[in-house]
Amino acid sequence: MDLTFLIPTRIETEDRLRNIISSVSYLLKYIPAKVIVKEVSNNSTFQFRAIPEIRKYVDTSNLIYLYEESSEPWFCKSKVLNDLIVASNTKVVANYDVDCILPLSSYHQAYDAINNDHADVVYPYGCGIYQWKSEYDIQIYEEFVNTLNTSTLDKRKSLSNSTIGWTQFINRQVYIDSFMMNENFISWGCEDDEFYYRMRVLGNRIARIDNYVYHLEHSRTNNSWFSNPNFNNNYQLWNQIKTFDKNQLIQYYKNQDYLKKRRQELV
């Protein structure tokens, strides 16, 4: 596949460590694509704790690991995703949440829709009650990584809502031309809403796969919940942007310093 999974991470808890071992192993086993993990943290936890575990279960030839040392308390997913866009070179990229597992057919359908020029952006799950919340304790984890079969996740799951988070498959050039991720959203909150709105307003073709997504449940920190002290600022920015029409949106992004920097990096 002419595809790269873009995985931004900061591993703040043991359950998030288990989740990234699980999801990266699953991708490497079943999807013939590149996987780039970028960890921004004061510890290279993925390198020293996750990779040795992943190597027990799968070949890691398609795995690329990037590390940026940082003592900044706020993990800015949008900024790291833009770093990963710059680092990638495939026709299709996928913003990928480490807590997300999809049925194998969903990966292929999402990729094919973009690769065959039927869509620019694909959300590989339905909108509505399309989430399987998987209670992912150590017992389920150990069984899953040794089988990498989603039937293990079916043992302890419940239905919940699904909208626009987790993962999106995107034509990389369209992504770049549509202003990438907005780095003004600091840490967690509203960045996924703004991205979906912008893709639609700019006229990109958005598709969905009519299937479920597994979410590996986990504890929450300030970088993954409404307790993020920057959430109100993110919410206000989102409320401003969602009033823009196409011309206002383009004008807003033309004036963003982060985007000017990214354009230089992409030359």
Side-chain angles (χ1 to χ4, degrees), residues 68-82:
E68 180 182 326
E69 185 172 4
S70 173
S71 57
E72 167 61 49
W74 312 123
F75 178 72
C76 296
K77 182 184 80 172
S78 296
K79 180 180 181 299
V80 182
L81 279 171
N82 285 349

Side-chain angles (χ1 to χ4, degrees), residues 55-77:
R55 284 179 175 152
K56 293 179 183 178
Y57 312 113
V58 294
D59 180 6
T60 56
S61 300
N62 285 337
L63 176 63
I64 299 167
Y65 172 64
L66 306 175
Y67 176 65
E68 180 182 326
E69 185 172 4
S70 173
S71 57
E72 167 61 49
W74 312 123
F75 178 72
C76 296
K77 182 184 80 172

Side-chain angles (χ1 to χ4, degrees), residues 12-192:
E12 298 179 302
T13 60
E14 287 297 306
D15 52 5
R16 299 304 285 276
L17 174 62
R18 293 196 296 269
N19 288 3
I20 198 168
I21 292 169
S22 304
S23 58
V24 170
S25 297
Y26 185 80
L27 292 176
L28 291 172
K29 180 175 177 65
Y30 293 115
I31 311 299
K34 296 178 183 177
V35 177
I36 309 181
V37 173
K38 179 163 185 178
E39 183 174 25
V40 178
S41 181
N42 57 5
N43 292 296
S44 49
T45 305
F46 185 83
Q47 179 179 7
F48 293 112
R49 295 191 61 195
I51 291 178
E53 290 298 309
I54 293 167
R55 284 179 175 152
K56 293 179 183 178
Y57 312 113
V58 294
D59 180 6
T60 56
S61 300
N62 285 337
L63 176 63
I64 299 167
Y65 172 64
L66 306 175
Y67 176 65
E68 180 182 326
E69 185 172 4
S70 173
S71 57
E72 167 61 49
W74 312 123
F75 178 72
C76 296
K77 182 184 80 172
S78 296
K79 180 180 181 299
V80 182
L81 279 171
N82 285 349
D83 293 339
L84 288 163
I85 295 168
V86 173
S88 65
N89 60 7
T90 52
K91 177 180 178 179
V92 185
V93 295
N95 295 345
Y96 203 80
D97 187 324
V98 301
D99 310 303
C100 166
I101 299 283
L102 299 168
L104 293 177
S105 61
S106 297
Y107 297 98
H108 292 280
Q109 290 175 50
Y111 171 77
D112 288 345
I114 296 174
N115 194 48
N116 295 329
D117 198 33
H118 299 311
D120 301 307
V121 183
V122 179
Y123 287 79
Y125 44 83
C127 183
I129 309 301
Y130 280 92
Q131 176 194 172
W132 286 118
K133 293 173 64 175
S134 177
E135 298 303 324
Y136 203 60
D137 60 20
I138 188 67
Q139 179 181 348
I140 295 292
Y141 161 75
E142 289 178 351
E143 184 174 345
F144 179 77
V145 291
N146 279 288
T147 63
L148 295 175
N149 191 318
T150 56
S151 63
T152 304
L153 306 179
D154 293 331
K155 293 182 176 181
R156 208 172 299 165
K157 68 181 184 181
S158 59
L159 277 173
S160 189
N161 64 305
S162 157
T163 53
I164 52 175
W166 299 306
T167 183
Q168 309 87 38
F169 284 65
I170 312 151
N171 178 300
R172 180 177 178 270
Q173 191 57 53
V174 168
Y175 202 165
I176 292 167
D177 294 341
S178 299
F179 313 120
M180 307 170 74
M181 294 297 292
N182 188 326
E183 295 183 24
N184 297 313
F185 289 95
I186 306 301
S187 188
W188 182 90
C190 304
E191 71 281 359
D192 291 326

